[in-house]
Amino acid sequence: MIRIPELLVEKLRAATHVTVLTGAGVSAESGVPTFRGEHGLWKSHRPEDLATPLAFRRDPVLVQDWYRHRRALVQACAPNPGHQALARLETLVPHFTLVTQNVDSLHEQAGSAHVLHLHGSIAQSYCADCGKDADLDAGTSLPVFCLACGGLVRPGVVWFGENLPHDTLEQAENAAAQADVLLSIGTSGVVYPAAALPLIAREHGAFVAEINPERSAIAHQLHLWIGAPAGEALPALVTHLEADHA
Ligand code: BV8
């Protein structure tokens, strides 16, 4: 089992509020491709060509097809030990907030009770014109149109250039500011405002650690980097804390 620095275990033992920020790396061991790794989703297409309102208007078939493909991928995946460890961690600390950039529901499937989705959910879809719920997976021919108004159906995710859900972001920023410990797990730390959350926590006096096989773009601004996969580091970390409660 991987060795977790005693400093982090001590900080978590003493913490009243723990906030966790996750990115695509937490779902990688479930088989969900990340965005920027060597096998990443952005390898074959630039984000600007797929994850912006302009891209959608320019080529709705490409974008709808890409999200239908990703939805099928995500639906076939199950939570991994990293997701499960986070659900256990939630029961071990007085106040726990889980914030994710991920658009899958693997945290919920693993038992995490209250997940803040900064970038929406790939399982949801709605009409880009009238806003009504609409099924992106309806039928076989693309583009898929809204049955109510004939508008184009889009995924329920936040694209580049779009605002994050206001209340969700506000809750996440508050949880970062109030945290005694913030864990930034499986994110490259390049997308804002999500990547600012660990920095907000640090500025408010929290101990901030990163769990990622590679150092992220914000690693140099954090207190500790654990160079390991989430599916190994998180179970080891939680096992230490559960021993306290044994
Ligand atoms: C906003 C869609 C206000 C959903 C995504 C110019 C114009 C407009 C905006 C901007 C601009 N310039 C900058 C901005 C801000 C922009 C931004 O940050 N751009 C960056 C790229 C420069 N942000 C926005 O636009 C946001 N909105 O700011 O609104 C506004 C409004 C108008 C004008 C200006 C501002 C919206 C951001 C959301 C964008 N949507 N995707 C979808 O299709 O999924 S972003 C995409 O990246 C995903 O959503 C993902 O959540 C996000 C972050 O990626 P990561 O999760 O970090 O994944 P990544 O692959 O990068 O890294 C994985 C990591 O895991 C790696 O480090 C790897 O080492 C690690 N790993 C791998 N295996 C493991 C592991 N770790 C642990 N264990 C393992 N086993």
Side-chain angles (χ1 to χ4, degrees), residues 1-245:
M1 183 181 283
I2 182 174
R3 197 189 70 74
I4 300 293
E6 188 56 28
L7 173 61
L8 178 55
V9 178
E10 287 307 320
K11 293 288 185 184
L12 284 167
R13 280 193 180 116
T16 301
H17 192 152
V18 173
T19 297
V20 172
L21 170 68
T22 62
V26 165
S27 296
E29 290 163 87
S30 295
V32 181
T34 60
F35 291 89
R36 297 171 181 84
E38 67 277 10
H39 307 296
L41 288 163
W42 300 140
K43 211 67 203 147
S44 47
H45 288 287
R46 295 178 322 137
E48 299 75 15
D49 298 336
L50 286 169
T52 66
L54 179 63
F56 179 62
R57 292 290 169 198
R58 194 170 53 219
D59 191 343
V61 169
L62 171 69
V63 175
Q64 286 185 343
D65 189 40
W66 188 59
Y67 279 95
R68 283 162 63 115
H69 164 72
R70 283 182 58 200
R71 280 160 75 122
L73 253 181
V74 162
Q75 278 155 13
C77 294
N80 66 61
H83 294 109
Q84 288 150 358
L86 286 174
R88 285 163 40 210
L89 179 61
E90 187 170 358
T91 67
L92 297 173
V93 298
H95 298 288
F96 181 86
T97 307
L98 177 54
V99 183
T100 190
Q101 300 172 85
N102 299 341
V103 294
D104 62 51
S105 62
L106 294 174
H107 283 305
E108 290 87 346
Q109 291 176 47
S112 290
H114 177 63
V115 184
L116 296 176
H117 281 271
L118 295 177
H119 296 163
S121 165
I122 201 165
Q124 289 162 12
S125 47
Y126 61 91
C127 174
D129 289 355
C130 72
K132 284 195 173 72
D133 286 350
D135 183 5
L136 182 57
D137 287 324
T140 52
S141 63
L142 296 179
V144 179
F145 296 106
C146 167
L147 298 178
C149 78
L152 286 165
V153 179
R154 61 163 289 172
V157 302
V158 179
W159 280 329
F160 287 103
E162 292 186 321
N163 287 313
L164 278 61
H166 178 268
D167 292 351
T168 305
L169 179 58
E170 192 173 52
Q171 288 175 62
E173 288 171 339
N174 290 340
Q178 290 157 14
D180 301 303
V181 174
L182 184 140
L183 302 177
S184 181
I185 309 169
T187 180
S188 57
V190 300
V191 174
Y192 286 83
L197 294 174
L199 312 180
I200 291 171
R202 195 207 55 197
E203 279 154 24
H204 284 77
F207 182 80
V208 186
E210 173 172 280
I211 297 174
N212 188 329
E214 295 166 21
R215 296 174 70 86
S216 76
I218 55 171
H220 64 289
Q221 302 181 75
L222 310 184
H223 297 107
L224 181 69
W225 169 62
I226 297 177
E232 286 177 33
L234 287 169
L237 179 60
V238 172
T239 298
H240 274 292
L241 296 175
E242 280 175 337
D244 300 348
H245 290 72

